[in-house]
Amino acid sequence: MVESRIYTAALVVIGDEILSGRTHDKNIAQVASWLQIQGIRLKEVRVVADDMAAIAEAVNALRARNDYLFTTGGIGPTHDDITVDAIAAAMGVDVIVHPEARAILEGYYETRGGLTDARLRMARVPEGASLIPNRYTGAPGIRAENVFIMAGVPQITSGMLDALSGTLEGGAVLLCETVGCWVQESEVADLLRATEKAHETCQIGSYPFWRDGRTGANFVIRSVEPEDLAACCRALAEGLDAMDRPAIPGGI
């Protein structure tokens, strides 16, 4: 079997409010889920402060070793929204006011008090960048090379992801199934290892939990090959049943 190309992405979550705990990030899960549908693997996530050097370092490190890099946060109208400046510095280009972004904002704010200097900041992009539509507030996201610069507000991020759907090159979609069992991980470690080894295109993740005074685990099997995934799930379930630890399809 010829191994299909695996496309990877990273995510940089930007904001002091995330690191302080004042805001609970919701974008990691939705970006990861969206990428999976596009056939792209989210390989790593980094959370950084509103700091020019920290943002630039993270962007340059992660965009170099992944096909795509996404950032969320720091593209609003206030003085601490420095993501565009930091990414432009990382890429060695100037920051410009994108004419199309300016026109979009002028139209959006025409009946909302006009386009102020603060609002105009949301039209600033690294030179050479293109725009990602934003159907909620007008202020667009930005694509600069393989970097996608998006808002931190989850609803707006979701809309920007929708606008990008189907536009990025990806590989086979990563499929997954879950098998649950009331068992301690240590009891089935050898079974998990042997099952994964016997099914080379599959990976098995083990996620233990404690509920109602009982110990259990959900085993998530992932593969890009549907038939291999089904075979691996069957083998794991049969192995658990043989140990008198009944498998629960779909998880607990």
Side-chain angles (χ1 to χ4, degrees):
M1 181 182 68
V2 178
E3 185 173 348
S4 61
R5 163 88 152 83
I6 296 175
Y7 290 79
T8 68
L11 171 64
V12 178
V13 179
I14 300 164
D16 293 339
E17 71 278 6
I18 302 294
L19 291 168
S20 71
R22 289 177 59 87
T23 299
H24 293 185
D25 179 79
K26 297 180 180 179
N27 283 323
I28 295 174
Q30 74 166 343
V31 170
S33 298
W34 180 85
L35 285 169
Q36 184 167 317
I37 294 170
Q38 309 306 308
I40 301 166
R41 310 275 183 90
L42 181 60
K43 298 293 287 187
E44 50 192 320
V45 177
R46 191 179 299 189
V47 183
V48 300
D50 294 310
D51 176 86
M52 285 278 293
I55 296 169
E57 190 279 327
V59 165
N60 273 339
L62 298 183
R63 74 186 178 110
R65 60 176 178 253
N66 291 281
D67 296 293
Y68 307 108
L69 172 64
F70 292 77
T71 73
T72 59
I75 60 171
T78 59
H79 70 285
D80 60 343
D81 289 311
I82 58 173
T83 297
V84 168
D85 302 85
I87 292 177
M91 293 180 169
V93 299
D94 292 331
V95 174
I96 65 166
V97 173
H98 195 291
E100 183 182 348
R102 179 178 187 134
I104 291 170
L105 291 169
E106 285 176 342
Y108 182 81
Y109 286 110
E110 184 176 5
T111 59
R112 296 175 173 87
L115 185 59
T116 63
D117 287 343
R119 290 167 172 171
L120 185 60
R121 283 179 56 82
M122 295 185 288
R124 299 166 71 250
V125 304
E127 189 171 15
S130 56
L131 304 181
I132 302 171
N134 168 13
R135 65 176 181 266
Y136 291 109
T137 66
I142 304 160
R143 176 174 184 169
E145 298 179 8
N146 68 332
V147 180
F148 299 82
I149 308 166
M150 301 185 299
V153 178
Q155 183 181 24
I156 298 176
T157 305
S158 175
M160 291 179 178
L161 291 173
D162 285 346
L164 289 171
S165 291
T167 67
L168 305 186
E169 189 171 4
V173 176
L174 185 64
L175 308 172
C176 68
E177 295 288 350
T178 302
V179 175
C181 186
W182 292 105
V183 67
Q184 294 186 33
E185 277 188 309
S186 58
E187 295 180 58
V188 294
D190 290 341
L191 172 63
L192 297 176
R193 186 180 303 109
T195 305
E196 186 177 81
K197 185 176 180 180
H199 299 82
E200 295 182 353
T201 67
C202 300
Q203 300 86 43
I204 302 176
S206 179
Y207 305 95
F209 59 85
W210 295 265
R211 190 181 304 162
D212 300 328
R214 304 175 69 189
T215 300
N218 283 314
F219 308 112
V220 179
I221 304 95
R222 300 179 176 89
S223 178
V224 297
E225 302 292 340
E227 292 182 0
D228 294 353
L229 178 64
C232 187
C233 289
R234 285 196 302 270
L236 179 57
E238 290 168 1
L240 291 169
D241 291 341
M243 298 174 63
D244 199 26
R245 297 291 189 177
I248 302 174
I252 301 172

